[in-house]
């Protein structure tokens, strides 16, 4: 029952119906915008190892017959670090989900933002948050599955905004690492500190789900959430509070 790390495509293969999916081609920014020393060589090795141009991939497919857009981070690609390429892919995925009126499901696995891209990497936090805010205006479900680890800028932005927050057992869900916190506060930390079970007990996660059950769990959640959306659309418009207040406002004036 140990949940080993998966590549993005391994994740897609066990999630989509019949292992059938299409990888979306996202815009590709410059590899080394700040000319950080040895960064291009590091990228080359990561790409050769993972067969991915970036840690984050977006795919389109079906889950129990429902069309869904799914994103997944590959921790084997420089620790799933988020830079400009990941930001572009995430935004592309959100736009694709909006255009196709499909739910967006994301599997996070990241240590944070890329130091090699400095402020450019940090800006991806606000960009992805704005993208999710725009996505939610369309009343479409956004479900995040936090895998081991989900930390740093990822947990502080797009990974922390799911309508439903799911985590795999034993996953680290945090912002700063346990070692950094321990060295800062100079105290011993609780047992299982920052593990998904610990975070769940404090209300930071909605549910913990074993990998073998994630497909069925998300399918059930989507069937409920999409049904609620259909009911909301079919319900006649009800007079808003703003309209109720109009006579009172006119009287005050």
């Amino acid at each position: 029952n140990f949940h080993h790390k998966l590549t993005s495509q391994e994740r897609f293969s066990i999630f989509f119906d019949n292992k059938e999916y299409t990888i979306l081609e996202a815009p590709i920014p410059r590899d080394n915008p700040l000319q950080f020393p040895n960064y291009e060589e590091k990228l080359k090795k990561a790409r050769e190892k993972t067969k991915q141009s970036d840690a984050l991939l977006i795919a389109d497919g079906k889950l129990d017959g429902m069309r869904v857009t799914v994103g997944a981070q590959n921790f084997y690609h420089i620790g799933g670090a988020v830079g400009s390429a990941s930001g572009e892919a995430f935004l592309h995925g959100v736009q694709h989900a909006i255009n196709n009126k499909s739910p967006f499901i994301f599997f996070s696995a990241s240590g944070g933002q890329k130091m090699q891209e400095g402020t450019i990497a940090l800006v991806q936090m606000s960009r992805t948050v704005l993208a999710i805010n725009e996505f939610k205006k369309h009343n479409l479900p956004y479900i995040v599955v936090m895998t081991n680890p989900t930390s740093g800028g990822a947990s502080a932005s797009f990974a922390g905004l799911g309508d439903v927050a799911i985590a795999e057992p034993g996953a680290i869900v945090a912002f700063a690492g346990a070692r950094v916190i321990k060295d800062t506060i100079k105290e011993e930390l609780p047992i299982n500190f920052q593990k998904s079970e610990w975070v769940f007990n404090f209300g930071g996660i909605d549910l913990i789900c074993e990998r073998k059950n994630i497909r069925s769990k998300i399918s059930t959640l989507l069937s409920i959430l999409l049904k609620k959306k259909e009911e909301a659309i079919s319900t006649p418009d009800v007079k808003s509070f703003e309209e109720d207040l109009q006579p009172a406002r006119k009287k005050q004036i």
Side-chain angles (χ1 to χ4, degrees), residues 167-237:
E168 290 187 335
I172 295 293
V173 178
F175 180 65
R179 179 181 56 79
V180 173
I181 293 173
K182 183 177 179 179
D183 290 346
T184 302
I185 66 175
K186 307 299 182 185
E187 292 182 14
E188 290 297 317
L189 300 174
I191 297 174
N192 289 329
F193 180 66
Q194 296 183 333
K195 291 286 184 73
S196 54
E197 293 79 4
W198 187 87
V199 178
F200 174 78
N201 288 335
F202 287 91
I205 295 169
D206 294 310
L207 60 98
I208 296 171
C209 185
E210 289 191 29
R211 187 173 292 166
K212 63 184 180 181
N213 299 322
I214 284 176
R215 260 181 57 88
S216 60
K217 185 70 69 175
I218 292 179
S219 177
T220 300
L221 287 168
L222 290 181
S223 64
I224 295 168
L225 293 171
L226 294 174
K227 179 68 174 176
K228 291 294 183 183
K229 183 189 174 187
E230 290 173 4
E231 291 175 354
I233 292 172
S234 62
T235 303
D237 290 337

Side-chain angles (χ1 to χ4, degrees), residues 9-34:
Q9 299 217 35
E10 286 172 337
R11 181 68 67 175
F12 296 150
S13 292
I14 66 172
F15 187 76
F16 287 109
D17 292 351
N18 304 315
K19 300 183 180 181
E20 296 175 354
Y21 59 90
T22 302
I23 299 290
L24 304 184
E25 296 295 329
I28 302 174
R30 290 174 56 193
D31 274 350
N32 192 3
L34 302 183

Side-chain angles (χ1 to χ4, degrees), residues 40-66:
E40 291 176 34
E41 183 63 25
K42 193 170 187 177
L43 277 173
K44 182 181 178 182
K45 289 180 179 178
R47 287 167 177 167
E48 290 173 352
K49 178 182 178 181
T50 63
K51 304 298 186 283
Q52 292 183 206
S53 61
D54 183 67
L56 196 159
L57 290 183
I58 304 290
D60 175 88
K62 290 185 177 180
L63 171 65
D64 288 342
M66 295 178 284

